[in-house]
Amino acid sequence: IGVLRRESVDPRRCIHTHPIKKPADIKAALRFGCTTFVVDNLAEIDKFVPFRHRVALLLRLSFRSPDAVVDLSRKFGCSLDEVPLLLTRARQLGITIKGLSFHVGSQSSDAATHADAVRACAAIMADQRGRGTPLSVLDIGGGFPVDYSGGTPIDIGMWCAPLRKAMSALPPGVTVIAEPGRYVVASAVTGVFSVVGKALRGDELWYYLDDGVYGSFSGQLFDHARYPLRALGNASPTERATVAGPTCDSVDVIAENIPLPALAVGDLVRGSMMGAYTAASATDFNALPRASIVAINIPTRDHANGLTRIA
């Protein structure tokens, strides 16, 4: 909330998307000015009874994608069969459900499950409109993929084609929103790391960096991402090596058997596509400091004229 305030984000444009919340979380969001929340079960709907005149809810549905790298519809989301019960319960309590939401999971290789989910939501919205209780918002979540292999970037237009086609089934006047966080920011950050040690273990060459899976590479554990690594400079790879982090834990191995040029202690290694799920989940394990984040081309906002400029 503090970040949103500093960026002068209108609270009415914000949605509290976590389906499970403490009452204190709801109160904090309301104090900020956010009035739209997401629910996916009866117990969560009941939490909003004291705030029913101040809020409008989105009902989150579960659509599990078999090809998502991180399945986000197992832990959250109601089934299609539960929707009538939840909508009825909310009406009985005087709580407004203004729309639906879903998140099929991260790094979906195609949009088939997204498209199926949109069509299912469109059918629910059409049915509710016929009953005189229109639903006006659909949050299609995230899952838009990025390429971590260093190869050809994913053609997001082609990936979204079936999703756009499915949206044509939505009733008129439905506002569609999305959460394309990874797609927007993954390529925005490059990591720069120093070689702090090297060793030959048997016939295996090891390099040790000043950051690892407890720090900026934490997404390898929590998000199943593998960030492309290259030596900083133009040297061609001449050998295969294992790259490890600086902690004493044996799980702190970043990459194995990858091509690198011969490196010396003090040389720099570059990690690409490190804008998502890296610093956000870093820790201070072993009392090692987290990597500093240096921003370049920082946008400056002209509040008087409503403009954003790049410095």
Side-chain angles (χ1 to χ4, degrees):
I1 289 176
V3 172
L4 296 173
R5 284 199 177 103
R6 288 197 301 272
E7 295 299 319
S8 302
V9 175
D10 183 353
R12 296 287 177 162
R13 297 183 62 198
C14 297
I15 298 176
H16 193 302
T17 59
H18 200 304
I20 308 297
K21 299 161 288 297
K22 295 182 293 186
D25 300 331
I26 298 172
K27 293 176 182 177
L30 286 171
R31 282 195 297 270
F32 171 60
C34 173
T35 59
T36 302
F37 297 81
V38 172
V39 297
D40 68 357
N41 63 82
L42 290 171
E44 204 66 20
I45 289 175
D46 288 347
K47 292 178 185 177
F48 285 91
V49 170
F51 316 106
R52 62 183 178 273
H53 300 302
R54 302 174 61 188
V55 302
L57 308 182
L58 302 182
L59 181 61
R60 177 162 169 169
L61 282 63
S62 171
F63 296 98
R64 299 186 68 177
S65 174
D67 62 354
V69 174
V70 180
D71 181 359
L72 292 177
S73 276
R74 175 174 177 263
K75 185 176 179 181
F76 300 116
C78 66
S79 69
L80 289 173
D81 292 340
E82 294 176 289
V83 170
L85 171 64
L86 296 174
L87 292 176
T88 298
R89 177 63 172 169
R91 281 195 294 269
Q92 291 171 342
L93 295 174
I95 298 172
T96 298
I97 303 285
K98 71 174 181 179
L100 305 174
S101 74
F102 63 84
H103 198 311
V104 305
S106 294
Q107 287 291 86
S108 299
S109 61
D110 66 62
T113 304
H114 279 81
D116 290 343
V118 169
R119 284 188 286 268
C121 289
I124 294 171
M125 290 177 149
D127 176 69
Q128 290 300 308
R129 180 165 294 201
R131 296 171 184 269
T133 53
L135 301 172
S136 60
V137 177
L138 176 61
D139 181 353
I140 64 173
F144 306 101
V146 300
D147 177 51
Y148 285 110
S149 71
T152 304
I154 293 169
D155 186 331
I156 196 66
M158 290 184 62
W159 188 90
C160 286
L163 187 51
R164 291 195 301 271
K165 182 178 180 181
M167 288 180 188
S168 65
L170 291 171
V174 172
T175 297
V176 178
I177 58 178
E179 305 169 30
R182 183 201 307 274
Y183 179 76
V184 171
V185 305
S187 62
V189 176
T190 297
V192 179
F193 313 102
S194 177
V195 177
V196 297
K198 60 184 294 186
L200 186 64
R201 306 202 179 280
D203 59 355
E204 209 174 354
L205 181 61
W206 284 64
Y207 292 113
Y208 298 83
L209 305 184
D210 57 356
D211 204 343
V213 299
Y214 285 93
S216 301
F217 291 91
S218 56
Q220 295 192 182
L221 295 178
F222 302 121
D223 194 48
H224 310 291
R226 290 285 172 179
Y227 310 102
L229 291 177
R230 292 185 181 178
L232 199 62
N234 297 318
S236 299
T238 59
E239 54 196 352
R240 304 193 74 83
T242 293
V243 179
T247 70
C248 64
D249 197 329
S250 61
V251 78
D252 192 5
V253 175
I254 299 165
E256 298 184 59
N257 195 32
I258 64 169
L260 287 171
L263 299 175
V265 172
D267 284 349
L268 300 179
V269 174
R270 181 185 70 189
S272 303
M273 303 293 291
M274 299 194 70
Y277 308 107
T278 50
S281 50
T283 74
D284 300 312
F285 179 62
N286 268 183
L288 293 168
R290 304 184 193 197
S292 300
I293 298 175
V294 179
I296 60 174
N297 295 331
I298 303 174
T300 57
R301 183 165 296 164
D302 183 342
H303 293 281
N305 297 308
L307 301 174
T308 299
R309 296 184 173 89
I310 302 298

